[in-house]
Amino acid sequence: MSIEEYELKEEKDMTLNQIIQLLPKVVKYNLKIIFAGKFIWFLLAAFSFFAFFMFQNAWQREEINEGLIYGILLFPCILLIFYPAVFGIQNDEDSRILEILFGIPDYKYKVWGVRLLMIYVAIFAILIVFSYVAIILLYPVNPLEMSLQLMFPVLFFGNMAFMLSTITRSGNGTAVLMIIIGIALIFVSKMNGMDRSFWNVMLNPFGMPEGFHPMIWESVLIKNRIFLFSASLIWAMIGLLNLQKREKFV
């Protein structure tokens, strides 16, 4: 190896070391912005609802199974994604870094791509903790499988909220729209036959209807998860494309 090649290799190694050293600081900084302010109250509210639902079902002596645990966790997990997704753009504005993000070409895509990833990783970790609490207090479940299944509606609602926040450019306005949409979807999910439809956003993967063939149910479940994941990607792409309209944000 020549001296020039050695120096070039050493320079690349130093750059990689600098990236590794910088990465924790970047993650910490972005998490501070994402989860700043009121997220702790949403986390406490999610756990409170989770504990209340567990106590209520235990008190009423409901049949405890994986389907019930999924239903108990569904609302708290949507509550967890609510604040960072709905008020993310507004938090940037409040932190006075919105102008910086839009002043650097294409930087906003990298920032929000990484932030969305960090949000979902953090919520996935929280859901695993909640699943372990359910194991201790109610019923043995697979925490990893339970959390993975819950991430499909989390991605759906989280990316939808992100998309709407880029359209309304208002955290409060997005919150109102998400509440209306959420109530409408809950109402639709209670309609006859929706517990067997793969279009049901609230479909419980652990709650197979009575008399339903397991192979047909598996097919419905796979289609439902593909639908939720595909819709999530569409919401995210529309939201990132809306970030091109710089004049609407700054």
Side-chain angles (χ1 to χ4, degrees), residues 50 54 69 73 129-141:
F50 176 49
M54 285 195 301
I69 301 299
L73 281 169
V129 174
F130 279 19
S131 298
Y132 273 109
V133 173
I135 291 173
I136 296 171
L137 299 179
L138 279 183
Y139 187 83
V141 297

Side-chain angles (χ1 to χ4, degrees), residues 162-223:
F162 168 68
M163 176 194 68
L164 291 176
S165 69
T166 63
I167 296 174
T168 64
R169 305 179 302 281
S170 168
N172 294 328
T174 304
V176 172
L177 285 176
M178 287 303 299
I179 291 172
I180 294 173
I181 292 172
I183 293 173
L185 289 175
I186 291 173
F187 177 77
V188 170
S189 68
K190 301 297 183 181
M191 295 174 62
N192 291 334
M194 287 304 293
D195 59 336
R196 301 165 180 254
S197 173
F198 67 85
W199 295 109
N200 184 5
V201 177
M202 305 293 184
L203 186 71
N204 188 333
F206 302 101
M208 185 176 70
E210 293 184 6
F212 213 63
H213 195 281
M215 291 185 65
I216 299 177
W217 175 249
E218 184 178 354
S219 175
V220 169
L221 183 58
I222 291 173
K223 290 179 181 179

Side-chain angles (χ1 to χ4, degrees), residues 36-135:
K38 302 175 182 177
F39 178 75
I40 184 63
W41 301 113
F42 281 85
L43 177 59
L44 291 174
F47 185 79
S48 298
F49 278 110
F50 176 49
F52 172 75
F53 292 150
M54 285 195 301
F55 174 79
Q56 184 183 41
N57 284 278
W59 181 264
Q60 295 179 354
R61 300 183 183 277
E62 296 283 349
E63 181 183 355
I64 308 298
N65 51 40
E66 288 183 319
L68 179 66
I69 301 299
Y70 182 90
I72 291 174
L73 281 169
L74 184 59
F75 179 73
C77 78
I78 293 175
L79 195 59
L80 287 172
I81 192 61
F82 188 85
Y83 179 76
V86 168
F87 294 95
I89 298 291
Q90 183 173 314
N91 286 340
D92 278 345
E93 184 176 1
D94 294 340
S95 301
R96 301 183 183 279
I97 65 170
L98 200 58
E99 182 66 43
I100 297 175
L101 294 183
F102 285 91
I104 305 175
D106 297 331
Y107 186 64
K108 50 189 174 294
Y109 300 108
K110 298 175 183 178
V111 169
W112 270 102
V114 172
R115 283 186 183 176
L116 288 173
L117 177 62
M118 287 192 294
I119 289 170
Y120 293 126
V121 169
I123 291 177
F124 180 71
I126 294 172
L127 288 176
I128 289 180
V129 174
F130 279 19
S131 298
Y132 273 109
V133 173
I135 291 173

